[in-house]
Every structure is written in structure tokens, then in C-alpha cells.
Amino acid sequence: MADIIIKNGYILTMDPSADNIKNGVVVIEDGRITDVCEKTEETADTVIDAQGSVVMPGFVNTHTHAGMTLFRGYADDLALSDWLENHIWPAEVELTGSDVYAGTRLACLEMIKSGTIAFADMYFFMDEVGKVVESSGLRAALSYGMIELWDEEKGKRELKEGKSFVNEWNGKADGRISAMYGPHAPNTCSKEFLMKVREQATEDNAKIHIHVLETEAELNQMKEQYGMCSVNMLDSIDFFGPDVLAAHCIWLSDGDMDILRNNNVNISHNPVSNMKLASGIAPVTKLLDRGANVCLGTDGCASNNNLGMFEEMKAAALLQKVDTMDPMALPARQVLEMATVNGAKALDINSGMIRKGYNADVIIVDMNKAHLNPLYDVPSHLVYSAGSSDVRTTIVNGKVLMDDYGVVCMDEQKVIDEARDAAADLISRVDAKK
Ligand SMILES: C[C@H]1O[C@@H](n2cnc3c(O)ncnc32)[C@H](O)[C@@H]1O
Ligand SMILES: [Zn+2]
């Protein structure tokens, strides 16, 4: 007997080797998809009727700072350097572990409700983040954000903290959690520090999550400091590889794109944050045309201001069209791949497709809504018309985390109340320091 059978749904497999099924069945056992077919004789403990819905792989949010939900709407409409240096960093000085715990719980709740099954996080108090991920049921690639600022002693402390997090958390929660090294960016960490991080990550067989060329200011700073851009500097120290997840990658030359592609670097595109902070437009279509693995991320809630991947997909598609002045650029199907298949590849998880043997990381999207009818093309609706609140059911590792709009893995109201209280307390401490 199987654990879960999902029947009567439109199965959007995202599997290049398998067709979608108009009225199909997905069978789940021991956390894995064991069958994807038109009909089954199998029985299961739980049978989900997905009539009028799309059954698809859940989203992979490849760049966020989950605990920053506490700063949602805190410092809007500012340029990145002003936003970060004069507002966010001074506020983050006041953060406690319990703040990050409350903020990350709120983030996980929001992600479960909006169909995200895995996320890559870079933040502080990462043990608290690990605990939240473990209890939430989600998957995550977590990294402690190391900001060295050319201070050798600080660098040693940061690397020690990053390493102890990797050693403690990599592979935890039955493999749902992987731990990465998180050097913040090439303009906040020295070349020498980044070399040490690269060496340590290789030694520990851990991946690396880093911001790269998010702003023109970073590009200029790097040129002044090293006579080359971030990508060339990182390449000169053999930093890149398929184990690197580089967020943003906006200010790239053609040569930089070749370097990223040739080194199989995973690129997390964050269009909403990039538009909000006016950081620029990443050359996504050029990267994809070169065969680079480009996935999608929301960035933190202080620069987005939510964690919804539907909105991110639509923004990605529209932004490339207007940037290239080509309405055919980044079509719906390709954006869906970025949000599912490519994200799973970046985090090295066996998810992102509805395929036999893959992780049972599945969402059910309710299409019986005014804004989703009539329905000619499923990818089109998912990218251009659907929203976070259309997700009915979220399943991760074969466990139902949200069942027909009801979150079952946490007390929704309690999570909201505790995050609101933590945020109010945090901001009053921040204000008292002003
Ligand atoms: C981990 C640190 O990273 C900071 N952060 C959040 N969003 C961004 C961004 O878009 N670019 C650079 N740094 C960012 C976060 O506040 C933490 O300090
Ligand atoms: Zn970021």
C-alpha cells in the first residue's frame, strides 16, 4: 500500500522525457514518487482528489535570507548600499537567535503556503534556522553569512562559525538540510578570505553560496581594487565550480558569462529584488542561451517584499522581454524550468520533476479560480495569471505540509503572532539605539 495517491489532476511533469498527463495519478511511498501514470490499481493511506488542479513539482527558491521577514517593509525605496549600510545592517546588529527563529518560521510558513519545497538561505544564527527547517518539513541549503570586511581576525571568527555550522548541519533532517559556506560577496570579503573559504569548502565537500555583481558599485569597486571585475577575480583564484551558487550576477560582460558557464556555476536570478533596489537587469536570456544553469530566487523580504515564486516567475519573464525588446524572450515554460528543474539542480536535490524515483516534493495548484479561466495553456497560467494563494497542497519528502489550504506542520496563527511580536520588539531596540 502506498502512502499517498494524488488522482484526477493535470500532471505537469516538467520532465523532458515524459509528457504531461491530462488526468493522471501520482503515487508516493517512503518520501519518493513511485509512479506517474494515467490510472493505478494501487491503494494508499491518503488519497487526494486533484480534480480541477495542476499537480507539479514544488518551487525551489535559490536565494533568500529567511529571517529577514522581520524586516518586511522596514526600509523601502532605497538604493542597495544606502539600504544595507544605513538601515539593514544597523538593525541586524540587534538581532537575536529567537528573532531569527521567529522570522524564519514566518518565512517557512509563507513558503509552504506559496508552493516552495526547498530554499537556499544565507543569514545569521543559523542553528535557529536549522531547527526551524527541521521541524517545518521543508528542504533547505543553509549557509552562515560571513562578512569579513578585510578584517583578518573577524575573518577567522567568521570562517570558524561557518565551518562549525557546516560540520553540524550538513545532511541533517534525513538529508533535507544541506549546509553551505556563505561568503557574503566579493566586495565585502577580501580575496585572501575567499581563497580560504574555497579551500575549506572543498575540504568539507560543502557548496558555496555568494552574492556576485549585484550592483554597478560592486563592479566599480572591484575594478579599482583588483583591476578586474568580481567574476574575473573569483576565476583567478579558482573559486568557481558546479558547487557554487552565485546570486544576482547582473553586471556581467560576455566574457564573464562564458566563465560562469564554463565552470558550471549556478546563477540565482532575483528579478523582484533587482527591480526594487534598482540594481539592474541580469542577462538571463544570454546566460540561458549559453547553457548556464539559471534558477530563481526571491532574495530577502526586505527587498522583495515577499517569498512568492509565482510573482518571481512573472517578473523574470516580463523583465527579459522588456530588456531585450523581444516578447518571445523567456517564455513561460522556460521560466517554470528555472523555478523547478534548474533550482533543484543548483541545490543538488532529486526534486524539480514529477518523475518516478524523484523526491515526493509536489504541489497542487487550484485552477478553479476566476483569474485562471478559461485555460488554454497550463505553463502560461502558472507564470502569468496564478499567484501564491492558488496553492492548495504542498508535499515535501512525501509528507503533506499543507492540505487543501490548511497548513498542518505548524500553527499558522501562532507563527504570525510570534513573528509580529518579535519584529515589534526588535525595531523598538533598533530605534532606542538611534
Ligand atoms: C547575509 C547578509 O546579506 C544581507 N543581504 C540581504 N539582501 C542582500 C542583497 O540583496 N545584497 C547583499 N546583501 C544582502 C543581509 O541583510 C545580511 O546582512
Ligand atoms: Zn541576498
Side-chain angles (χ1 to χ4, degrees):
M1 185 144 101
D3 296 326
I4 303 172
I5 289 179
I6 306 170
K7 61 175 192 181
N8 295 331
Y10 179 101
I11 317 293
L12 179 70
T13 65
M14 296 308 296
D15 180 348
S17 67
D19 288 338
N20 299 325
I21 306 174
K22 276 198 175 142
N23 186 344
V25 174
V26 178
V27 184
I28 293 170
E29 208 176 323
D30 287 335
R32 296 284 165 97
I33 296 169
T34 53
D35 206 0
V36 186
C37 50
E38 299 210 341
K39 275 202 169 70
T40 183
E41 297 300 312
E42 276 258 30
T43 55
D45 291 335
T46 305
V47 176
I48 299 174
D49 189 347
Q51 179 76 46
S53 302
V54 171
V55 180
M56 62 176 287
F59 302 119
V60 182
N61 182 348
T62 52
H63 180 68
T64 191
H65 311 278
M68 293 186 83
T69 52
L70 297 192
F71 297 119
R72 195 194 312 267
Y74 171 67
D76 287 333
D77 308 323
L78 299 165
L80 188 125
S81 56
D82 183 15
W83 171 77
L84 206 52
E85 288 161 27
N86 301 323
H87 300 269
I88 297 298
W89 281 345
E92 284 178 339
V93 168
E94 295 300 319
L95 272 176
T96 64
S98 67
D99 292 334
V100 172
Y101 183 86
T104 306
R105 286 240 294 170
L106 186 66
C108 288
L109 174 63
E110 186 182 346
M111 287 191 270
I112 289 164
K113 286 178 70 98
S114 55
T116 291
I117 53 95
F119 65 103
D121 199 51
M122 180 204 288
Y123 212 48
F124 312 124
F125 299 100
M126 294 308 292
D127 289 335
E128 301 304 312
V129 179
K131 284 183 216 161
V132 173
V133 173
E134 193 161 26
S135 64
S136 72
L138 284 169
R139 288 183 198 282
L142 307 177
S143 56
Y144 168 67
M146 302 181 289
I147 306 179
E148 177 238 17
L149 299 172
W150 287 265
D151 176 339
E152 214 179 312
E153 285 312 307
K154 185 169 174 8
K156 280 184 193 154
R157 291 194 301 274
E158 292 289 75
L159 193 54
K160 194 170 166 215
E161 173 110 25
K163 180 171 171 48
S164 86
F165 179 71
V166 165
N167 292 347
E168 165 133 24
W169 285 92
N170 209 1
K172 272 254 178 102
D174 295 328
R176 281 188 290 110
I177 296 178
S178 63
M180 305 170 82
Y181 280 93
H184 178 255
N187 62 333
T188 54
C189 296
S190 70
K191 184 168 156 178
E192 294 68 31
F193 180 72
L194 292 165
M195 286 165 81
K196 284 188 190 131
V197 173
R198 176 64 272 177
E199 208 176 289
Q200 196 61 59
T202 304
E203 195 181 311
D204 294 344
N205 198 19
K207 298 185 196 308
I208 301 175
H209 187 173
I210 184 169
H211 297 91
V212 175
L213 284 176
E214 183 177 4
T215 60
E216 192 175 20
E218 173 183 337
L219 176 65
N220 293 336
Q221 183 187 324
M222 297 299 290
K223 279 187 177 162
E224 209 167 286
Q225 208 166 338
Y226 300 109
M228 61 181 91
C229 76
S230 306
V231 169
N232 281 282
M233 188 279 275
L234 290 169
D235 192 37
S236 77
I237 59 167
D238 288 329
F239 189 88
F240 289 129
D243 57 355
V244 173
L245 174 59
H248 303 298
C249 297
I250 295 171
W251 292 87
L252 302 177
S253 66
D254 284 355
D256 297 338
M257 290 185 236
D258 292 338
I259 290 171
L260 294 175
R261 165 66 191 96
N262 293 341
N263 286 283
N264 296 306
V265 173
N266 302 287
I267 299 149
S268 178
H269 176 46
N270 295 220
V272 174
S273 169
N274 298 162
M275 286 193 281
K276 184 162 182 268
L277 296 167
S279 302
I281 305 175
V284 171
T285 48
K286 285 187 180 172
L287 286 161
L288 287 167
D289 286 349
R290 279 173 165 76
N293 188 46
V294 187
C295 40
L296 274 185
T298 58
D299 215 345
C301 265
S303 62
N304 186 299
N305 293 358
N306 64 56
L307 302 173
M309 291 291 283
F310 282 102
E311 186 178 301
E312 213 62 43
M313 289 195 296
K314 183 167 181 173
L318 301 189
L319 193 53
Q320 288 306 301
K321 291 176 200 307
V322 75
D323 187 39
T324 58
M325 288 305 286
D326 175 5
M328 286 176 291
L330 207 56
R333 165 82 203 186
Q334 204 172 14
V335 189
L336 270 170
E337 277 168 14
M338 289 168 67
T340 54
V341 184
N342 299 4
K345 184 177 177 196
L347 304 198
D348 200 12
I349 53 178
N350 217 17
S351 310
M353 288 184 214
I354 305 290
R355 182 193 264 186
K356 197 171 165 176
Y358 269 49
N359 293 328
D361 295 347
V362 179
I363 62 170
I364 305 178
V365 184
D366 192 349
M367 305 304 272
N368 190 26
K369 302 273 179 87
H371 60 281
L372 298 175
N373 279 282
L375 173 57
Y376 304 111
D377 179 66
V378 169
S380 160
H381 269 15
L382 292 171
V383 172
Y384 299 121
S385 307
S388 292
S389 56
D390 299 322
V391 180
R392 267 176 64 181
T393 298
T394 301
I395 299 171
V396 179
N397 210 27
K399 300 267 176 316
V400 179
L401 307 186
M402 179 169 73
D403 179 22
D404 215 11
Y405 297 102
V407 176
V408 291
C409 58
M410 53 179 88
D411 178 339
E412 190 169 343
Q413 195 54 56
K414 189 164 177 266
V415 170
I416 295 170
D417 291 344
E418 286 177 359
R420 197 194 292 120
D421 290 348
D425 226 64
L426 169 62
I427 298 308
S428 69
R429 293 198 305 276
V430 174
D431 288 345
K433 285 273 166 73
K434 279 182 183 163

